[in-house]
Amino acid sequence: MSEEKIYAFPNGCTPGNPVTFDPEICNGCNLCVDACQVDVLIPNPVKGKPPLVLFPEECWYAGCCEGICPRPGAIQIHLPLPQRVRWKRKDTGEHFRVSR
Amino acid sequence: MNWRQYVKKYGLIEWPYPVRYGEEREIEADVLVLGGGIAGCWAAISAARKGLKVVLVEKGATVKSGSGGSGCDHWLNTPHPGTDVTAEEIVGWELEMTEGYCNALSRYIAARESYETLLEMEQMGGVIRDLKDEFKGAPFRDEKTKFLFAYDYKSRIHFRVRGSTFKVALHKECKRLGVKILDRVMATGLLTEGGRNGARVVGATGLHCRTGEFFIFKARAVVNGLSRHQRNWCFSTEIRGNANFRPTQIVGDGHAMSWRAGAEFTMMEKSLPTSFASGNVFQPYSHGNGINTWVPCTMVDANGKEIPWVDRDGRILKTVEERCMPAPGQRFMGERTQGYTHKRPELIPDLEERIRKGEYTLPLYADLTGMPEHERRVIWGLMVGEEGKTRVPVYIYYNEAGFDPARDLLQSYMFLGGDPMRGSVRPQDRTGGEIGDAGGLVTDWNLMTNLEGYFAAGDALFAANYHYHAAATGRYAGRKAAEYAEKTKFSPIDRKQVARERRWVYRPLENRDELEWKELNAAACRIMQNYCGEYKNEELLKLALISLRELQEQDAPRVCVDNPHKLMRTLEVYNILTCNEMIVHASMARKASSQILGFTRLDYPELDPPEWKKWILLRNEEGSIKTRDLPLDFWKPLKENYEKNR
């Protein structure tokens, strides 16, 4: 068993993860924080680090954050799990799902 | 990193912005515009072009906010030199579709000025033509102008546009013209002459949603571009983003503050079943269907068997192109399919029955693979890609995930769970404002409300809808507000009224820490589902009012407000409660049932009796409800009235 601390956290909300950041690409410029019309994100207390998702279930999935981001790949949007759509390859009949 | 991951690693975080509860900023404007969406930006631009000092107040971020902020794929109902369809005919279609319950006044203004507005959009940097010749030779393209059209390739009144470029361009133009933009400021109340209800509007108040600072605006004219009511019957405490057709922060702030000030509303009794806001629906346009953005997509069943498209007379159409051509003798086609005269082709109406009988096998798929290449690219690329919310989460992401419209069939959730286009999951899941035309402010031909100096545009207007309409009416209202401001002096603002407004804004900070705002919103919706839902009668409506007041008096003061953001969300729910009361009062005033308004009174069951085919106008006069009637066609004659006032 690991020695990791166990915290008394309340239940989170759904979706818990509408937006993720690649810390290697994001330079914490916070343009996305200011473009999000719902104000889902807050700046990271550590300068230069990716913003934090404070109000995940308020996300409208408009993609304004990624639309304004100058660094491709820094932001990824993830549709909520129950809203992932499937498709089928016509010639092989294989099934796929939007999986990010 | 989300908040929880951060807290685990580093510990609790303080609110990242300076907190300035109670601090005041006073700002003066010739024209004050509330709401920085499509209507608000256009109003600000058109007032600023007259050389006036314009202030724009926006709860989100003007660069991308509002229903049309992330995109728009079609610009509808626009007469222009390349068509012989007239503004009168277009409004005629709207009137037929709504059986007269249509804001013909604002629709006519929009139809008359829509093309000019679109060309101005282009001058600002919006992309409205096929400049790269991607669709050269396509039947929906005009080779001379390079315009692209949707739905009806013959009459050509609906433009296909690259609307993801629009909002950024509008924002830039506002800045270029010197409009003072205040982002993250929620408009909270109207200020009137002498602080009196029903008097001239002389300013407004606001709250900064990050710092909690209080704003006092003094203006010679005010434009309301604050959209409409939402989340009145239906609210998913989770998965809200996908559940809402319009942005989650559109709740009816503008409706509520106008109501408190004594502005007149109509059609608030209307509600329709919807599965939006239930938390079950998919991201709009994110799965296959044959509806608006996806028209004229080929649909197939699980075995690849094609579902026929039929015209308004039930004639099966053999080619893809025929799906966008008027039927024999048909003048032009509308974007939607209600009404016979301008009905456009759709999938066979008895599809569900045929699936039950085994003629088609579920699930269905959108099959772009066999379509003409220009149709495939215009649906998957221009339409899905430029429509609001589709560019990043659908078009870009599906492509990255490996979806190839030339090889793959996108599953349709029609007849499965959570299809937003097929009506309601439950009859009590209703909307007055999520989709289609909704109740709102009544105006004259200057788009001025009954409160002098107070104008309305876009979805703040009753029976309004669509991007083109928000743009054209915003541009018109801004012009009219500027003309009014030029001949009007500033009025002193009433300090007692400011103190009252300030009290309303900050009172939740004294709340007990027992509930979250979401629970209050959910309770407000449940009251509407119970007492003002599918079935209504006098007794139920009385109970609705009692319950809503109870909620306001007993439970609203229990909502915890941790920070300015949550204060804003809490005030939003207070506004939702006000809109709910408006809906109940409007429902009490209409003593007849109506099919088109989705309105069933068990104690007045007769459907649309002629004496009730009228507008019922309501306003709140210091807490008592005043009503008056207007004939459905109070706006006529359209052409003369428009030309006299424009």
Side-chain angles (χ1 to χ4, degrees):
Chain A
M1 300 298 272
S2 76
E3 292 299 296
E4 206 190 330
K5 257 195 206 165
I6 303 295
Y7 291 89
F9 270 120
N11 285 324
C13 52
T14 308
N17 219 16
V19 185
T20 54
F21 298 88
D22 184 331
E24 300 300 308
I25 305 175
C26 170
N27 66 348
C29 77
N30 293 326
L31 274 176
C32 55
V33 175
D34 288 336
C36 172
Q37 63 171 319
V38 195
D39 226 4
V40 163
L41 310 168
I42 54 169
N44 197 307
V46 183
K47 251 195 160 40
K49 292 281 180 217
L52 306 180
V53 184
L54 185 63
F55 301 109
E57 88 298 359
E58 291 187 10
C59 176
W60 191 50
Y61 292 88
C64 298
C65 51
E66 189 174 339
I68 207 130
C69 178
R71 300 171 83 92
I75 301 180
Q76 279 213 330
I77 294 179
H78 310 273
L79 290 173
L81 268 185
Q83 270 93 357
R84 301 287 173 88
V85 173
R86 305 194 70 86
W87 76 83
K88 184 166 81 167
R89 190 131 290 169
K90 194 173 180 175
D91 53 2
T92 64
E94 279 174 286
H95 283 273
F96 301 88
R97 181 184 71 139
V98 175
S99 54
R100 358 187 313 181
Chain B
M1 195 175 247
N2 60 28
W3 168 85
R4 197 175 49 88
Q5 291 159 336
Y6 184 93
V7 168
K8 266 170 113 167
K9 205 165 168 182
Y10 302 104
L12 273 179
I13 314 167
E14 272 194 51
W15 186 244
Y17 307 108
V19 178
R20 302 195 183 108
Y21 289 138
E23 287 182 31
E24 283 185 4
R25 265 178 75 190
E26 217 163 297
I27 292 170
E28 217 171 75
D30 294 323
V31 176
L32 173 68
V33 180
L34 306 176
I38 300 302
C41 280
W42 274 103
I45 287 165
S46 100
R49 282 184 179 163
K50 287 196 165 275
L52 299 188
K53 186 182 169 191
V54 181
V55 172
L56 177 71
V57 176
E58 161 59 39
K59 186 161 54 166
T62 308
V63 68
K64 289 277 188 183
S65 55
S67 301
S70 55
C72 150
D73 59 354
H74 58 211
W75 186 281
L76 300 173
N77 299 356
T78 299
H80 59 98
T83 179
D84 63 352
V85 175
T86 64
E88 288 76 13
E89 285 180 300
I90 281 168
V91 174
W93 164 59
E94 300 273 14
L95 284 164
E96 182 198 38
M97 201 173 63
T98 57
E99 293 172 27
Y101 287 98
C102 160
N103 192 338
L105 182 155
S106 72
R107 303 272 173 155
Y108 188 76
I109 289 172
R112 287 291 297 260
E113 302 197 2
S114 175
Y115 185 58
E116 281 170 47
T117 310
L118 184 63
L119 294 181
E120 277 178 29
M121 190 68 250
E122 183 176 43
Q123 285 161 5
M124 291 178 217
V127 181
I128 66 168
R129 296 174 213 252
D130 185 27
L131 295 173
K132 293 179 184 160
D133 293 335
E134 287 171 78
F135 298 101
K136 207 173 166 58
F140 48 78
R141 182 176 127 131
D142 178 68
E143 295 301 327
K144 202 164 82 201
T145 57
K146 302 192 178 187
F147 283 135
L148 305 175
F149 297 96
Y151 308 125
D152 182 338
Y153 297 168
K154 188 161 172 278
S155 85
R156 303 188 159 191
I157 52 171
H158 310 299
F159 288 76
R160 277 174 160 142
V161 292
R162 295 201 176 271
S164 69
T165 60
F166 287 9
K167 195 70 199 297
V168 178
L170 289 167
H171 179 245
K172 204 167 140 191
E173 182 70 0
C174 282
K175 290 208 297 200
R176 193 185 71 79
L177 291 165
V179 173
K180 187 180 174 68
I181 297 173
L182 293 165
D183 280 342
R184 310 288 172 197
V185 176
M186 173 188 188
T188 54
L190 294 175
L191 297 173
T192 53
E193 208 153 39
R196 291 185 309 275
N197 168 290
R200 186 165 83 86
V201 172
V202 297
T205 55
L207 168 79
H208 198 288
C209 312
R210 287 178 171 179
T211 66
E213 200 175 356
F214 188 69
F215 285 78
I216 301 160
F217 301 103
K218 211 173 152 177
R220 298 201 279 193
V222 179
V223 181
N224 172 347
L226 287 166
S227 198
R228 48 170 62 170
H229 53 303
Q230 255 198 164
R231 294 180 5 208
N232 308 88
W233 283 264
C234 226
F235 172 63
S236 171
T237 52
E238 305 205 328
I239 312 197
R240 293 171 354 90
N242 270 58
N244 281 68
F245 190 67
R246 286 179 159 78
T248 38
Q249 75 276 23
I250 286 178
V251 297
D253 293 333
H255 276 27
M257 76 179 73
S258 305
W259 178 252
R260 290 193 288 266
E264 272 189 318
F265 283 82
T266 195
M267 213 174 84
M268 291 299 287
E269 66 273 34
K270 179 186 170 182
S271 72
L272 299 171
T274 181
S275 54
F276 274 119
S278 65
N280 295 324
V281 298
F282 291 88
Q283 175 99 345
Y285 321 108
S286 70
H287 64 98
N289 60 45
I291 302 162
N292 60 26
T293 286
W294 281 80
V295 167
C297 184
T298 298
M299 299 293 296
V300 298
D301 82 345
N303 305 314
K305 185 176 174 183
E306 199 172 306
I307 317 277
W309 280 71
V310 292
D311 71 5
R312 62 177 181 172
D313 300 309
R315 213 169 42 97
I316 289 184
L317 304 172
K318 294 185 188 66
T319 64
V320 170
E321 202 170 318
E322 276 183 287
R323 298 169 194 169
C324 294
M325 292 304 272
Q330 191 174 24
R331 177 91 176 100
F332 68 88
M333 299 194 294
E335 173 255 0
R336 281 186 272 169
T337 53
Q338 295 102 315
Y340 174 80
T341 315
H342 303 291
K343 193 181 174 76
R344 62 168 172 74
E346 55 186 353
L347 294 174
I348 41 173
D350 59 345
L351 178 56
E352 188 160 3
E353 208 178 315
R354 297 206 209 179
I355 291 169
R356 283 180 200 280
K357 286 182 181 154
E359 192 180 338
Y360 298 100
T361 307
L362 289 175
L364 308 179
Y365 292 90
D367 183 358
L368 293 162
T369 65
M371 294 188 80
E373 200 219 348
H374 54 253
E375 289 292 352
R376 180 166 64 241
R377 281 191 297 110
V378 87
I379 294 173
W380 189 263
L382 193 148
M383 301 299 274
V384 179
E386 296 293 336
E387 173 59 323
K389 292 179 66 164
T390 59
R391 184 163 195 80
V392 176
V394 183
Y395 180 65
I396 291 175
Y397 275 26
Y398 288 23
N399 288 345
E400 283 180 7
F403 174 74
D404 177 353
R407 296 177 64 194
D408 296 324
L409 311 175
L410 188 62
Q411 197 173 306
S412 166
Y413 293 82
M414 285 165 82
F415 309 109
L416 310 181
D419 178 15
M421 305 298 184
R422 284 197 66 253
S424 157
V425 179
R426 307 176 306 168
Q428 67 267 40
D429 288 343
R430 306 182 76 75
T431 179
E434 189 90 33
I435 39 175
D437 308 352
L441 285 157
V442 181
T443 67
D444 62 14
W445 277 95
N446 292 316
L447 294 185
M448 188 159 84
T449 66
N450 64 309
L451 306 180
E452 210 192 307
Y454 186 48
F455 299 77
D459 280 2
L461 296 162
F462 80 91
N465 201 8
Y466 298 131
H467 189 119
Y468 87 96
H469 176 270
T473 57
R475 179 172 167 271
Y476 184 97
R479 189 166 87 225
K480 290 291 167 186
E483 285 167 12
Y484 178 89
E486 278 170 337
K487 55 181 199 298
T488 308
K489 288 197 176 72
F490 280 102
S491 267
I493 50 176
D494 184 77
R495 293 291 154 183
K496 281 195 191 121
Q497 188 176 32
V498 170
R500 282 199 302 273
E501 288 297 332
R502 197 185 138 104
R503 176 92 190 110
W504 183 81
V505 164
Y506 290 129
R507 201 171 46 195
L509 295 175
E510 300 158 24
N511 284 358
R512 302 195 296 282
D513 186 351
E514 293 168 8
L515 304 172
E516 292 268 335
W517 59 267
K518 291 187 215 175
E519 195 169 341
L520 193 68
N521 195 158
C525 288
R526 181 48 62 93
I527 288 169
M528 296 298 277
Q529 291 173 15
N530 285 338
Y531 306 123
C532 188
E534 187 187 13
Y535 298 116
K536 301 172 179 79
N537 65 27
E538 200 68 23
E539 185 60 22
L540 289 168
L541 294 168
K542 275 184 197 152
L543 274 170
L545 284 183
I546 291 168
S547 312
L548 287 167
R549 286 209 192 109
E550 220 168 54
L551 208 61
Q552 278 168 333
E553 286 160 16
Q554 293 176 24
D555 305 298
R558 298 167 56 217
V559 175
C560 77
V561 174
D562 299 321
N563 51 53
H565 180 94
K566 281 192 170 181
L567 175 58
M568 174 256 293
R569 291 280 175 251
T570 302
L571 294 176
E572 281 182 344
V573 181
Y574 288 12
N575 284 336
I576 287 168
L577 284 162
T578 301
C579 290
N580 285 0
E581 280 197 0
M582 288 164 72
I583 293 164
V584 175
H585 285 302
S587 302
M588 283 175 153
R590 185 169 286 278
K591 295 187 172 9
S593 296
S594 169
Q595 175 118 31
I596 196 80
L597 300 174
F599 188 75
T600 306
R601 290 257 334 214
L602 296 169
D603 43 357
Y604 299 100
E606 200 185 343
L607 264 187
D608 296 299
E611 69 275 19
W612 282 93
K613 287 209 84 174
K614 60 185 178 187
W615 302 109
I616 303 165
L617 275 53
L618 279 91
R619 66 189 164 88
N620 146 45
E621 196 181 85
E622 310 282 12
S624 82
I625 310 300
K626 302 285 186 227
T627 61
R628 69 182 177 108
D629 296 345
L630 270 183
L632 270 194
D633 58 1
F634 73 91
W635 35 262
K636 55 177 207 197
L638 284 174
K639 189 167 186 286
E640 290 79 352
N641 274 328
Y642 167 77
E643 285 172 6
K644 197 167 68 198
N645 288 286
R646 70 176 158 198

